[in-house]
């Protein structure tokens, strides 16, 4: 099987997996990308992260958010090979089926590289950043290397996606304390999937509260993420600076009420058709 076929073919989801995702707001799926795909795309993504990264300060001079990871977004815009990875039908079909929607569009991608000695990722909700008028949003989070338990995948607050907008706080020490206190007070169960192999992936809803541990190892935790929104989703009125910035950057030319369908938001899967 070719690399292209690996990115196009179906990943078989069970009804139980879809039910579990919709109940919990998160799920771990094994071998979403083959090792051949990882071997082909990891060095390309690494090179693009190195080329596009603008963070040069030592960890000791950064705030909590800056210590959490090197973040490079929308690599697909500048690299055709990464575009092929981000637009993969295989990944997009999983996203659509987990959400129970007919089709999905790209919101944006992000490489999140947690450096050796990098700090924890505070508790937060992704969707506080997104001017999206829908709960049908989902993020694929895929390590490009094997991730040991002591580095770990993310920790999720199960069912928290059903609570919607809990706090407008951006990722920070304050968001970590406030949401952790909320989770503890409400008795919300938390789940960490621990170690993951390269090509495994977690999927989580935009409102699912989550965090991640620091990196005590001497190897960078290399992760690629892709954010999807349901096809037909509308732009919401941005009610924060974060959402105003996202509207300008990821939804160029659009205004509240428009469909999420700018040139940066291509359809990557529909149940009735495939993308070109």
């Amino acid at each position: 099987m070719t690399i292209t076929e690996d990115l196009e073919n179906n990943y078989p989801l069970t009804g139980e997996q879809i039910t579990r995702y919709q109940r919990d707001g998160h799920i771990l799926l094994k071998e979403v990308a083959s090792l051949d795909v990882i071997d082909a795309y990891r060095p390309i993504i690494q090179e693009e992260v190195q080329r596009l990264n603008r963070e040069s300060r030592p960890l000791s001079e950064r705030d909590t958010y800056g210590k959490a990871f090197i973040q490079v977004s929308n690599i697909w815009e500048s690299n055709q090979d990464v575009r092929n990875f981000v637009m993969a039908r295989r990944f997009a079909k999983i996203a659509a089926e987990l959400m129970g929607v007919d089709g999905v569009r790209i919101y944006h991608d992000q490489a999140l590289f947690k450096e050796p000695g990098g700090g924890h990722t505070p508790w937060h909700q992704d969707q506080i950043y997104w001017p999206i008028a829908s709960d049908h949003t989902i993020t694929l989070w895929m390590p490009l290397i094997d991730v040991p338990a002591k580095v770990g995948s993310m920790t999720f607050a199960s069912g928290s996606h059903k609570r919607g907008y809990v706090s407008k706080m951006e990722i920070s020490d304050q968001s970590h304390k406030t949401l952790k206190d909320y989770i503890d007070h409400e008795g919300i169960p938390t789940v960490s999937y621990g170690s993951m192999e390269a090509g495994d992936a977690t999927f989580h809803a935009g409102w699912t509260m989550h965090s991640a541990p620091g990196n005590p190892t001497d190897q960078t935790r290399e992760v690629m993420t892709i954010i999807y929104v349901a096809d037909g989703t509308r732009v919401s009125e941005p009610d924060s600076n974060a959402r105003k910035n996202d509207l300008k950057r990821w939804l160029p030319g659009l205004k509240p009420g428009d469909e999420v369908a700018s040139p940066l938001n291509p359809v990557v899967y529909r149940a009735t058709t495939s993308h070109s």
Side-chain angles (χ1 to χ4, degrees):
M1 186 176 293
T2 67
I3 299 296
T4 298
E5 288 171 336
D6 275 351
L7 291 174
E8 292 293 314
N9 65 11
N10 294 337
Y11 183 96
L13 284 175
T14 66
E16 190 275 333
Q17 287 172 322
I18 294 170
T19 297
R20 190 182 345 141
Y21 170 80
Q22 294 181 0
R23 179 193 69 207
D24 296 340
H26 59 84
I27 194 170
L28 167 66
L29 299 176
K30 305 293 288 183
E31 299 178 5
V32 171
S34 68
L35 290 182
D36 286 343
V37 166
I38 296 297
D39 289 344
Y41 286 97
R42 179 191 173 205
I44 300 168
I45 294 170
Q46 283 178 316
E47 184 176 341
E48 287 300 288
V49 169
Q50 184 175 8
R51 183 176 73 86
L52 297 170
N53 174 39
R54 298 294 178 260
E55 178 58 84
S56 59
R57 297 171 298 169
L59 282 166
S60 60
E61 295 180 9
R62 304 181 209 167
D63 62 11
T64 298
Y65 185 90
K67 291 175 182 176
F69 38 64
I70 297 295
Q71 177 176 310
V72 179
S73 302
N74 250 34
I75 304 175
W76 76 263
E77 282 188 87
S78 58
N79 186 288
Q80 179 61 43
D81 288 325
V82 178
R83 185 185 192 281
N84 293 338
F85 181 89
V86 171
M87 304 296 167
R89 178 185 181 277
R90 178 177 175 88
F91 306 158
K93 185 174 186 285
I94 295 172
E97 291 182 344
L98 288 175
M99 291 193 291
V101 300
D102 182 69
V104 291
R105 292 178 178 267
I106 294 292
Y107 185 54
H108 63 82
D109 70 48
Q110 290 181 316
L112 302 175
F113 280 31
K114 193 179 289 282
E115 301 151 284
H120 74 288
T121 306
W123 282 103
H124 64 283
Q125 294 176 290
D126 294 339
Q127 201 157 331
I128 66 140
Y129 292 93
W130 307 340
I132 301 295
S134 173
D135 293 337
H136 290 312
T137 61
I138 192 170
T139 297
L140 171 155
W141 190 97
M142 178 181 289
L144 305 177
I145 61 169
D146 292 347
V147 176
K150 61 184 175 181
V151 177
S153 54
M154 293 182 289
T155 299
F156 300 99
S158 293
S160 58
H161 63 304
K162 296 178 181 178
R163 297 172 182 244
Y165 216 147
V166 172
S167 170
K168 292 184 179 181
M169 285 184 294
E170 298 176 33
I171 299 174
S172 63
D173 292 330
Q174 186 181 8
S175 78
H176 188 72
K177 182 180 187 306
T178 299
L179 292 181
K180 180 66 165 61
D181 288 348
Y182 177 87
I183 290 164
D184 290 345
H185 180 267
E186 295 292 311
I188 301 173
T190 60
V191 173
S192 173
Y193 294 112
S195 62
M196 293 174 63
E197 296 180 353
D200 293 346
T202 58
F203 288 78
H204 67 272
W207 290 121
T208 301
M209 299 178 204
H210 59 285
S211 65
N215 181 5
T217 74
D218 59 3
Q219 184 175 23
T220 297
R221 186 212 70 185
E222 303 170 15
V223 167
M224 190 66 183
T225 70
I226 307 169
I227 304 166
Y228 303 92
V229 300
D231 187 24
T233 295
R234 300 280 175 176
V235 179
S236 65
E237 184 71 46
D239 55 0
S240 66
N241 286 333
R243 286 183 162 184
K244 289 175 183 176
N245 291 335
D246 261 34
L247 176 60
K248 183 177 180 180
R249 175 64 182 94
W250 309 122
L251 307 169
L254 302 185
K255 60 185 184 300
D258 290 344
E259 279 197 25
V260 175
S262 84
L264 295 187
N265 316 117
V267 173
V268 282
Y269 173 76
R270 283 198 182 106
T272 51
T273 60
S274 59
H275 69 279
S276 58

